[in-house]
C-alpha cells in the first residue's frame, strides 16, 4: 500500500480524484505537478503540504513561487522538473496522470528510482511500452494500472499463475456519444457533440478520443504492452452501460469480469491500496437497480481510428508513437475548431503513411517519431 505519493498532473480529472482518495486514505503527498493552473495548485499545495510543486509553464511557476512564499513548499518550473517530482526520495508511489507524451520521461525516471507506478498516462505504454516494461523489470519497479479497463484486467488476473492460461483480454468500450450513427451522421458532429460522453466526466482530449474510439485503440496497445500479449489476444466489445469494466477469458472457457459503478475513484483507490483493499465511501453497485447490460461489436468502418491503432500495434516499432503523436495534434486542431471530426482519422492516417517506422526503437527514436508525426499533421 502507498504511504506517500508524487502526483504528476494534479489538476486534471484523474489528479483531482486521486487527491480525493489520498485524503480519504490518509496518505501524504510528496510532490505535485501541473501545467499552468496556478490557483488550483496553490489551493492543493496549501491543503496537502507537498515538499515540491512543479509547473511545467515557467511563468506559472514564477507566479506560484510568489503565492507560496509563506509556505515551505519548494517550487520548480519547466518540463525537466517533472523528473525531479517523479523521483523525490520521500515518495514510494508515483501517480502519472499527465496527458500525452510528456509523461514518458518522468515515468522512466520514477521506474529507475524504484518507485511503484500508478499508471494513468496511457501514452507512456503506447509509445514506449517495450522500453518501459523492460526498465520496470530490470529495476524491480511495480506498475499498477489506474485506467478502469486495465485495472479491471489487473484485478481479474490476480489468480493467474501463468500467462499461457489466458485466451484473450476483452476491453469494454462505451462507444462514446456517437454510437450507432452512420459515418455521414458522425461527420456532421461538432466539438460540443464530441465532448458529451455518455458515462464518464474526463478532460477534453480523452473525451474526444472516446468519441473517435482512438482511446480504445490506445488501450489495446497499452494492454498488449502491460500484459505482454499479441494483438490477436486483445479484443474490444461495446458495452454502453460502463458497468463491466473489462474481462479476461481463460483457456478453459472461464470468463472473469470486474464490475462497478463508473467512478474513477474505485480503480485509483485500488492502485493506492494494492495488494489490499480499503473501505470506500463510494456507493456500491446495486445489481437490482442497474440497467440491463448489453454488448456489441465496434464499428471500425465508421470509427476508423480503432482500426488505425490496431494496424500500428500490429506493425510495432515506432508506429504507435507516430499514431499517438499525430492523434494528439489532430485532436488539438479539432478542439480549436480548425478541422472536422473525420479529419482526425485522415490526418493520423497521413502521418502513418509519411513517417518511416523504426524497429526496436530507443527513447530518442520514439521522441523523433513523435515529433515527425506532429509536423506531418500541422503542415
Amino acid at each position: 500500500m502507498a504511504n506517500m505519493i508524487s502526483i504528476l498532473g494534479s489538476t486534471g480529472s484523474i489528479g483531482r480524484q486521486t487527491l480525493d482518495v489520498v485524503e480519504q486514505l490518509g496518505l501524504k503527498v510528496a510532490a505535485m505537478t501541473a501545467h499552468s493552473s496556478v490557483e488550483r495548485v496553490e489551493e492543493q499545495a496549501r491543503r496537502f503540504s507537498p515538499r515540491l510543486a512543479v509547473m511545467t509553464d515557467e511563468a506559472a511557476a514564477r507566479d506560484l513561487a510568489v503565492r507560496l512564499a509563506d509556505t515551505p513548499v519548494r517550487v520548480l518550473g519547466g518540463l525537466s522538473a517533472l523528473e525531479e517530482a517523479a523521483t523525490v526520495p520521500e515518495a514510494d508511489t508515483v501517480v502519472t496522470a499527465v496527458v500525452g507524451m510528456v509523461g514518458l520521461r518522468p515515468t522512466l525516471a520514477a521506474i529507475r528510482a524504484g518507485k511503484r507506478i500508478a499508471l494513468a498516462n496511457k501514452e507512456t505504454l503506447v509509445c514506449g511500452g517495450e522500453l518501459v516494461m523492460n526498465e520496470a523489470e530490470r529495476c524491480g519497479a511495480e506498475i499498477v494500472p489506474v485506467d478502469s479497463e486495465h485495472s479491471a484486467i489487473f484485478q481479474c488476473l490476480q489468480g493467474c499463475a501463468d500467462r499461457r492460461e489466458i485466451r484473450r483480454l476483452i476491453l469494454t468500450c462505451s462507444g462514446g456519444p456517437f454510437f450507432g450513427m452512420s459515418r455521414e451522421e458522425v461527420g456532421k458532429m461538432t466539438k460540443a457533440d464530441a465532448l458529451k460522453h455518455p458515462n464518464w466526466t474526463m478532460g477534453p482530449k480523452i473525451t474526444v478520443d472516446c468519441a473517435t474510439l482512438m482511446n480504445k485503440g490506445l488501450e489495446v496497445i497499452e494492454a498488449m504492452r502491460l500484459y505482454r500479449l499479441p494483438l490477436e489476444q486483445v479484443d474490444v466489445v461495446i458495452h454502453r452501460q460502463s458497468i463491466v469494466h473489462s474481462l479476461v477469458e481463460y483457456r478453459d472457457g472461464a470468463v472473469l469480469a470486474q464490475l462497478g459503478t463508473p467512478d474513477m475513484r474505485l480503480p485509483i483507490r485500488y492502485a493506492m491500496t494494492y495488494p489490499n483493499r480499503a473501505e470506500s465511501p463510494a456507493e456500491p453497485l446495486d445489481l437490482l437497480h442497474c440497467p440491463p447490460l448489453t454488448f456489441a461489436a465496434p464499428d471500425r468502418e465508421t470509427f476508423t481510428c480503432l482500426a488505425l491503432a490496431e494496424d500500428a500495434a500490429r506493425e510495432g516499432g515506432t508506429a504507435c508513437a507516430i499514431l499517438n503523436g499525430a492523434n494528439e495534434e489532430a485532436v488539438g486542431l479539432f478542439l480549436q475548431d480548425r478541422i472536422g471530426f473525420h479529419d482526425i482519422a485522415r490526418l493520423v492516417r497521413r502521418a502513418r503513411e509519411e513517417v518511416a517506422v523504426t524497429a526496436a526503437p530507443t527513447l530518442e527514436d520514439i521522441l523523433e517519431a513523435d515529433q515527425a508525426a506532429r509536423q506531418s499533421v500541422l503542415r
Side-chain angles (χ1 to χ4, degrees):
M1 177 170 172
N3 291 303
M4 182 173 283
I5 73 164
S6 287
I7 177 165
L8 311 182
S10 67
T11 61
S13 175
I14 295 296
R16 297 195 305 272
Q17 291 177 86
T18 298
L19 289 175
D20 289 344
V21 171
V22 163
E23 197 163 48
Q24 292 164 5
L25 293 174
L27 307 181
K28 296 180 180 179
V29 178
M32 57 177 53
T33 82
H35 176 56
S36 60
S37 301
V38 176
E39 291 185 5
R40 179 160 279 170
V41 174
E42 180 188 5
E43 177 187 347
Q44 291 175 340
R46 292 186 182 278
R47 180 176 164 192
F48 292 95
S49 301
R51 289 155 174 73
L52 173 65
V54 169
M55 306 298 293
T56 56
D57 181 281
E58 305 230 8
R62 291 190 291 271
D63 186 3
L64 184 65
V66 172
R67 290 169 180 254
L68 294 178
D70 62 326
T71 75
V73 179
R74 186 163 63 107
V75 177
L76 293 176
L79 282 172
S80 61
L82 287 176
E83 295 183 42
E84 184 159 349
T87 56
V88 290
E90 299 88 350
D92 53 69
T93 301
V94 177
V95 181
T96 58
V98 292
V99 176
M101 271 285 285
V102 69
L104 181 55
R105 283 188 185 276
T107 301
L108 282 170
I111 286 171
R112 288 163 181 158
K115 310 293 186 183
R116 171 197 256 181
I117 310 298
L119 187 65
N121 170 259
K122 59 174 51 67
E123 291 83 3
T124 291
L125 288 184
V126 168
C127 300
E130 291 296 329
L131 180 64
V132 169
M133 295 306 295
N134 289 341
E135 279 297 285
E137 185 175 340
R138 184 181 70 83
C139 299
E142 190 173 39
I143 297 178
V144 182
V146 168
D147 272 356
S148 60
E149 295 84 357
H150 294 302
S151 176
I153 291 171
F154 185 79
Q155 293 179 59
C156 290
L157 288 174
Q158 288 310 300
C160 179
D162 187 339
R163 287 290 188 265
R164 290 175 296 182
E165 295 179 348
I166 300 168
R167 181 175 292 165
R168 61 176 177 152
L169 308 180
I170 306 171
L171 297 171
T172 55
C173 173
S174 73
F178 306 147
F179 173 74
M181 292 185 184
S182 68
R183 183 169 178 80
E184 183 180 6
E185 290 171 326
V186 171
K188 298 175 183 176
M189 295 297 104
T190 66
K191 175 179 71 175
D193 297 322
L195 291 174
K196 294 176 183 176
H197 195 281
N199 299 328
W200 299 93
T201 300
M202 304 173 291
K205 193 269 181 183
I206 191 173
T207 304
V208 173
D209 281 349
C210 287
T212 65
L213 297 199
M214 178 62 86
N215 186 58
K216 203 54 50 179
L218 298 178
E219 287 177 2
V220 166
I221 299 167
E222 190 178 6
M224 292 169 57
R225 303 297 180 249
L226 194 58
Y227 304 109
R228 296 186 181 270
L229 292 172
L231 179 63
E232 292 71 28
Q233 285 182 265
V234 184
D235 207 353
V236 174
V237 65
I238 302 296
H239 171 56
R240 294 293 284 164
Q241 297 77 31
S242 297
I243 298 295
V244 178
H245 295 301
S246 278
L247 313 91
V248 176
E249 180 182 322
Y250 288 92
R251 66 183 180 184
D252 64 357
V255 179
L256 300 188
Q258 188 265 328
L259 286 70
T261 55
D263 183 346
M264 279 304 301
R265 291 173 182 83
L266 298 179
I268 292 169
R269 175 179 293 270
Y270 187 66
M272 294 294 100
T273 63
Y274 174 78
N276 304 310
R277 294 182 184 269
E279 190 69 29
S280 171
E283 191 74 23
L285 175 66
D286 185 347
L287 291 173
L288 298 180
H289 293 91
C290 73
L293 306 182
T294 62
F295 302 92
D299 179 357
R300 289 175 173 81
E301 293 185 6
T302 298
F303 302 96
T304 55
C305 281
L306 176 57
L308 286 169
E310 290 169 334
D311 286 343
R314 196 173 287 110
E315 184 169 1
T318 55
C320 295
I322 295 165
L323 173 96
N324 180 76
N327 180 67
E328 283 190 20
E329 287 298 334
V331 170
L333 294 176
F334 176 73
L335 288 170
Q336 297 169 38
D337 295 312
R338 294 172 59 187
I339 62 172
F341 186 79
H342 284 317
D343 290 326
I344 297 173
R346 178 182 62 80
L347 291 172
V348 171
R349 184 180 295 106
R350 187 176 76 185
R352 285 277 288 118
E353 292 170 351
E354 291 182 349
V355 181
V357 173
T358 301
T362 64
L363 177 58
E364 289 69 27
D365 293 330
I366 292 167
L367 297 175
E368 287 177 9
D370 170 77
Q371 288 303 307
R374 293 173 189 274
Q375 291 167 11
S376 172
V377 169
L378 295 174
R379 67 170 175 77

